[in-house]
């Protein structure tokens, strides 16, 4: 089989590897589609501190179970599955309080262990979630990015009264906007980005108001309109955003951060305690695959609006380069395997 391997930073090879055999409790997935994420590019470029090399990257993938290991029900053969990349121990403190996404011995497929940019991938059977036939392949491959939005929104119980402000209209901002608007039906979703094309995508994903903060002052526009967001999601992840978000937020607002910057954010106690603002963080997803599969089955979210390009996996280098260099035209880029 062929696998996309990052041998070391900036060195990508399409390697021929032996077909892997599933061990006890594992299944082998014949991969059909995979999505490129910022973190794949970070591992490629050597910017992910968690990555070990060589590594088969890819943590957003969909395929068909074509082999099973010991102890796995034979009925699982042939299932269409989306794979949760989060592998956890099940008994540490975070696992025991429902946060396997921050398990003390967390393993993420495509980061700590070989992932899905491969013709075949072996994964724990419990990580392979069956996808009902009503969900087409192109939607199934987008389940993982939507689980991130499910995790973000799951922290804060959004409701009909909420005025949400989402920083960043990349894949993460767009999935969050769709979930806030179409699943939780919040009152209003405002999006802020500096790329016009991405703001247009955000409007197609349900944003009611799009603000380009390269051209206009976000604070001035919100003040002029008398808007104080009650729920703020930082899907742009610059460390300076927290301070601005606290300033713009309504009293009693919730702010969700999802960035991993090692640079400090500067914030005063007064700006958050004075309004009793709650600050949440969100990493990966905690058992959100069934929830997103349900949303897709009910047609509440539409992943196709995010997909801008599809390449055969042989063209991975071109695909990564386009993804990295062209944020105006690119959002989610898919790779096909075993067409
Ligand atoms: P992306 O780079 O495609 O999108 C980020 C967007 O934010 C861009 O459109 C950019 O123009 C915009 N932006 C940057 N600075 C801004 C600012 N100051 N104000 C307004 N807009 C600004 O990235 P993607 O894939 O959407 O991911 C977003 C962030 O989420 C990344 O930093 C990534 O590391 C993080 N992330 C976190 C996860 C988690 O589980 N916590 C999972 C996946 C991504
Ligand atoms: Mn991802
Ligand atoms: Zn654990």
């Amino acid at each position: 089989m062929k696998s996309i391997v990052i041998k070391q930073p900036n060195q990508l090879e399409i390697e021929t590897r032996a077909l892997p055999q599933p061990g006890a409790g594992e299944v082998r997935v014949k991969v059909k589609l995979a999505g490129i994420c910022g973190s794949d590019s970070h591992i490629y470029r050597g910017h992910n501190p968690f990555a070990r090399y060589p590594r088969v990257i890819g943590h957003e993938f969909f395929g068909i179970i074509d082999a099973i290991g010991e102890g796995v029900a034979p009925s699982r053969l042939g299932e269409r599955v989306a794979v949760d990349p989060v592998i956890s121990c099940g008994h540490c403190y975070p696992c025991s309080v429902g946060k396997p996404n921050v398990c003390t011995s967390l393993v993420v497929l495509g980061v700590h262990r070989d992932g899905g940019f491969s013709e075949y991938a072996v994964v724990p059977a419990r990580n392979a979630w069956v996808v009902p036939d009503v969900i087409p392949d192109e939607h199934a491959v987008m389940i993982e990015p939507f689980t991130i939005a499910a995790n973000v929104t799951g922290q804060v119980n959004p409701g009909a009264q909420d005025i949400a402000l989402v920083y960043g209209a990349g894949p993460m901002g767009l999935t969050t906007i769709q979930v806030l608007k179409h699943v939780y039906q919040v009152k209003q979703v405002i999006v802020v980005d500096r790329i016009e094309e991405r703001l247009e995508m955000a409007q197609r994903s349900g944003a009611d108001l799009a603000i380009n903060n390269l051209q206009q002052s976000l604070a001035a526009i919100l003040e002029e309109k008398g808007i104080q967001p009650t729920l703020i999601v930082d899907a742009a992840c610059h460390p300076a955003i927290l301070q601005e978000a606290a300033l713009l937020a309504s009293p009693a607002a919730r702010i969700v951060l999802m960035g991993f910057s090692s640079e400090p954010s500067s914030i005063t106690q007064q700006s958050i305690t004075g309004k009793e603002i709650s600050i949440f963080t969100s990493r990966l997803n905690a058992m959100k695959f069934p929830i997103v599969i349900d949303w897709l089955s009910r047609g509440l979210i539409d992943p196709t609006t995010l997909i801008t390009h599809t390449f055969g996996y042989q063209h991975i280098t071109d695909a990564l380069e386009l993804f990295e260099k062209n944020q105006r035209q690119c959002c989610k880029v898919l790779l096909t395997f075993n067409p």
Side-chain angles (χ1 to χ4, degrees):
M1 67 162 186
K2 298 287 188 196
S3 302
I4 294 169
V5 185
I6 308 301
K7 308 286 284 184
Q8 48 178 289
N10 293 307
Q11 194 190 327
L12 182 152
E13 266 175 37
I14 299 179
E15 243 179 40
T16 303
R17 292 186 160 193
L19 196 61
Q21 298 306 320
E26 293 181 332
V27 297
R28 186 173 66 206
V29 178
K30 183 176 185 183
V31 178
K32 304 283 288 179
L33 279 170
I36 297 180
C37 176
S39 55
D40 297 310
S41 140
H42 294 155
I43 296 172
Y44 178 32
R45 300 299 177 194
H47 299 155
N48 182 323
F50 307 114
R52 299 279 171 277
Y53 302 87
R55 178 62 62 239
V56 176
I57 51 175
H59 59 270
E60 303 174 2
F61 60 107
F62 161 78
I64 290 161
I65 294 180
D66 88 320
I68 55 169
E70 200 189 307
V72 178
S75 60
R76 298 218 57 184
L77 280 168
E79 276 181 4
R80 299 169 72 239
V81 292
V83 179
D84 186 344
V86 174
I87 301 175
S88 55
C89 79
H91 51 73
C92 66
Y93 169 72
C95 282
S96 75
V97 295
K99 296 191 177 227
N101 49 323
V102 285
C103 172
T104 55
S105 39
L106 177 68
V107 170
V108 181
L109 288 165
V111 181
H112 309 95
R113 168 176 160 166
D114 283 344
F117 287 1
S118 182
E119 288 182 305
Y120 295 84
V122 165
V123 306
R126 78 169 82 86
N127 287 59
W129 291 91
V130 62
V131 176
D133 287 339
V134 294
I135 300 177
D137 294 3
E138 290 73 22
H139 288 199
V141 69
M142 296 292 289
I143 292 172
E144 196 276 346
F146 274 95
T147 64
I148 308 293
N151 210 72
V152 164
T153 52
Q155 310 283 41
V156 289
N157 193 24
Q161 288 189 48
D162 271 312
I163 297 176
L165 170 64
V166 177
Y167 280 91
M172 287 302 109
L174 297 177
T175 54
T176 302
I177 289 165
Q178 285 203 19
V179 171
L180 286 170
K181 192 70 192 177
H182 304 308
V183 177
Y184 289 99
Q185 303 185 330
V186 301
K187 189 170 168 187
Q188 189 180 19
V189 177
I190 302 155
V191 61
V192 56
D193 202 301
R194 46 263 305 253
I195 301 176
E196 211 48 49
E197 288 86 345
R198 287 200 154 185
L199 288 168
E200 282 161 24
M201 285 198 101
Q203 284 171 308
R204 288 198 290 278
S205 277
D208 303 290
L209 177 61
I211 299 171
N212 187 327
N213 62 346
L214 203 60
Q215 297 164 357
Q216 294 169 293
S217 154
L218 172 63
I221 292 178
L222 294 186
E223 194 184 336
E224 179 197 308
K225 294 185 182 290
I227 295 173
Q228 286 194 311
T230 58
L231 170 56
I232 301 181
V233 177
D234 178 11
C237 304
H238 190 282
I241 288 172
L242 177 58
Q243 192 176 20
E244 183 181 82
L247 200 73
L248 301 176
S250 161
R254 300 88 85 209
I255 298 176
V256 191
L257 305 177
M258 46 190 304
F260 294 93
S261 172
S262 57
E263 295 298 316
S265 296
S266 161
I267 186 150
T268 63
Q269 294 177 354
Q270 188 181 41
S271 69
I272 47 177
T273 316
K275 295 197 267 189
E276 201 177 315
I277 288 170
S278 304
I279 298 177
F280 293 81
T281 63
S282 182
R283 180 175 182 192
L284 302 165
N285 90 93
M287 297 293 286
K288 295 294 192 275
F289 271 64
I291 294 170
V292 173
I293 289 169
D294 174 60
W295 292 346
L296 282 169
S297 309
R298 289 156 61 202
L300 295 179
I301 49 177
D302 180 11
T304 44
T305 59
L306 273 68
I307 302 169
T308 53
H309 298 80
T310 303
F311 289 82
Y313 76 87
Q314 300 87 341
H315 305 291
I316 176 68
T317 313
D318 293 341
L320 273 168
E321 202 166 296
L322 179 80
F323 174 82
E324 289 169 349
K325 292 198 177 139
N326 197 341
Q327 287 206 322
R328 289 185 185 282
Q329 262 73 51
C330 260
C331 187
K332 186 53 73 181
V333 178
L334 300 182
L335 300 172
T336 57
F337 294 85
N338 295 299

